[in-house]
Amino acid sequence: MVSTEMSMDADGVMRMVRAMADAVTEQAVHLGHLDAISGDGDHGAGISRAMRTAASNLEAAPPSAPADALQRTGSVLMDEMGGAAGLLFGTIFTAAARRAGTAEQLDTRQWAAMITDAQDAVQKRGKAQPGDKTMVDALAPAAVAFREAAEQGLPLRDAFELSARAAAQGVEATKAMLPKQGRARFVGERSVGHADAGATSLSIMLGAAARSLTERSVA
Amino acid sequence: MAVRRYKLINQPESIVPDMLRGFAAAYPDIVRLTDDGMIVRRVPKEAGKVGLVIGNGSGHEPAMIGWVGPGLFDVNVPGEIFAAPGPSRIVRGIKAAERGAGVLVAVSHHAGDLMNAEAALEMAQDERIKGVDMVVLYDDISSAPRDRIEERRGAAGLFFVWKTLGAVAESGASLAECKRLAEKVRDNTRSLSAALSSCAHPVTGEPLFRMPEDEMEIGTGVHGELGSGRRKITSADEIIDLMLTPLLADLPFRDGDDVLVLLNNSGSLTLMELFILNRRVAQRLDEAGIKVYRTWIGPYATTQEMAGFALALCRADAEIKQLYDAPADGAYFKMVGREREGSDLG
């Protein structure tokens, strides 16, 4: 079985993780600058390093199933990146892994459920609501877009593209928001006019996921 | 003030492991570095006593690696720079601290520390590890108003908690007793900080914040979190007056109280400056009828080379005083143990 534009297998998840790692690495300096406005400025370095480690680990010991690849990626983010961001980005992957279960192939419908679970898990853990200027402001619209794509029966690549676009709009909307979670809340109005770093990372990663399906190499 | 951008490191990726190896090499009689990057006691606590674990972001040395040892913590799980360790690492710390009477995970209240500890406790439950609890601690009065006290951040005042909690666990108190004591000390502790300049982030080399050379800020957090207002740098006495007024009013500390005092060096203030600041602290407390039981001055939790300090006060009753004076032997905190109460060593 191979990944297609319709669905993703274990190898496809591995390629998606590598594409995400490359994309956040390319944007690491930008992400660091965004984080520096309300955080300590290391978000770009941290997520780039953790995602590269996750991708390399998968390539060194290929995953047995999509859930295995997702779970291992989540664990690396939690343990290697750490902090609130590592835990929450890791939670996206581990929640998605739980929902993926034993499936060999993940299609649009399954991914829609996985991203919905991921949003629930992130909000439960971080206690953030939409509008708090966090990654939830990208994740929530991405989940909505994915569910709509599933209802319309769209191919997985298109669904990732639509969700990445929805996430990017969510990122744009964070510019006007006042931060209400984590250490960023102490910064208050100083952050208005700037996008949230976590939401930006997530939107970059969803875009990379879409491209990883487009640029697939057929075995 | 210009920030020193370059630090003496090898690779940004190896800062934490390199630091831990060097630390462990210096104090082999007190601590051991485990293969998975935890600092544990060289000689484990006696069986049948509560184990104490703390995870925290690195970059605040000697916190908390220097506080592992008899009378203090059993295990410290250091994370990346300014980033709490992940949940599975905390669970490994819990297992390493277990001596048959349960484990208390101490959490300095910051979003990452709290979330990762909560996730770790759920993971421990899934693994059917029994007798694990956590206690969430805060003291920084600038981070939330008094009516939302549980939103406040953890800061330098928590060293009063760490010291007394270490002592009560060493005495053989139960898990519930240890937690009660930690909450009691927390609820009697208040702190407030001031910063004159930022530090460079060890990984990015960028300052955590920028401030004009002749200005200072009250309420800056231990990761450079924005404080409550900037002003021109004034005299040491004026700065202490500005800080003590809200600090005393917040608990409130009253005429007749006994207090513990901590002046924590955030990084690059001189001891000379801290002694000058403490002169005014002692004078003001005396005028208010508040008796200083003990004072600590030095770098406890640092923010790299940030120029600044925190002033923390803890109202101490007989129980807190006794635990405060109990022996402790960490690499960066030692107490010889005192038999009698009061400043009667002279």
Side-chain angles (χ1 to χ4, degrees), chain A residues 42 79 83 125 185-186 190, chain B residues 84 88 116 122 151 153 226:
Chain A
D42 63 352
D79 286 347
R125 178 67 67 202
R185 73 180 196 274
F186 301 110
R190 205 194 276 182
Chain B
S88 64
N116 281 289
E122 287 166 23
E151 292 179 22
R153 294 186 296 243
L226 192 70

Side-chain angles (χ1 to χ4, degrees), chain B residues 76-153:
Chain B
N76 176 222
V77 189
E80 280 301 312
I81 301 293
F82 302 154
S88 64
R89 296 197 60 217
I90 298 172
V91 170
R92 287 201 288 276
I94 289 169
K95 288 175 182 167
E98 172 58 53
R99 304 295 295 145
V103 174
L104 187 62
V105 179
V107 179
S108 170
H109 188 216
H110 296 272
D113 298 74
L114 179 62
M115 278 182 222
N116 281 289
E118 283 173 345
L121 259 71
E122 287 166 23
M123 228 178 240
Q125 205 167 23
D126 290 346
E127 290 189 32
R128 304 191 186 286
I129 303 171
K130 296 259 189 285
V132 183
D133 203 351
M134 64 187 255
V135 60
V136 181
L137 302 155
Y138 40 79
D139 61 314
D140 181 348
I141 67 166
S142 73
S143 50
R146 204 167 176 280
D147 60 348
R148 302 205 320 263
I149 199 163
E150 69 290 341
E151 292 179 22
R152 287 180 174 176
R153 294 186 296 243

Side-chain angles (χ1 to χ4, degrees), chain A residues 10-11 13-14 17 58 63-74 93 97:
Chain A
D11 193 52
V13 175
M14 183 168 85
V17 172
L58 293 178
S64 57
D68 176 43
L70 293 164
Q71 180 66 39
R72 282 164 57 191
T73 302
F93 286 90

Side-chain angles (χ1 to χ4, degrees), chain B residues 129-196:
Chain B
I129 303 171
K130 296 259 189 285
V132 183
D133 203 351
M134 64 187 255
V135 60
V136 181
L137 302 155
Y138 40 79
D139 61 314
D140 181 348
I141 67 166
S142 73
S143 50
R146 204 167 176 280
D147 60 348
R148 302 205 320 263
I149 199 163
E150 69 290 341
E151 292 179 22
R152 287 180 174 176
R153 294 186 296 243
L158 299 187
F159 284 88
F160 299 136
V161 180
W162 311 147
K163 173 63 190 76
T164 50
L165 175 60
V168 81
E170 210 70 52
S171 78
S174 69
L175 183 59
E177 268 296 294
C178 289
K179 183 169 177 171
R180 178 201 63 81
L181 184 275
E183 288 176 340
K184 171 180 161 176
V185 177
R186 172 196 72 194
D187 293 343
N188 281 286
T189 298
R190 297 291 188 273
S191 81
L192 186 57
S193 63
L196 277 67

Side-chain angles (χ1 to χ4, degrees), chain A residues 75-125:
Chain A
S75 296
V76 170
L77 282 162
M78 288 183 191
D79 286 347
E80 305 267 319
M81 187 178 178
L87 184 71
L88 294 171
F89 274 97
T91 295
I92 292 177
F93 286 90
T94 56
R98 236 187 327 275
R99 175 52 82 115
T102 56
E104 297 280 325
Q105 290 275 341
L106 302 170
D107 61 14
T108 302
R109 194 180 45 78
Q110 282 158 307
W111 265 107
M114 286 157 62
I115 290 183
T116 300
D117 277 13
Q119 183 197 337
D120 290 347
V122 164
Q123 286 195 244
K124 190 169 162 235
R125 178 67 67 202

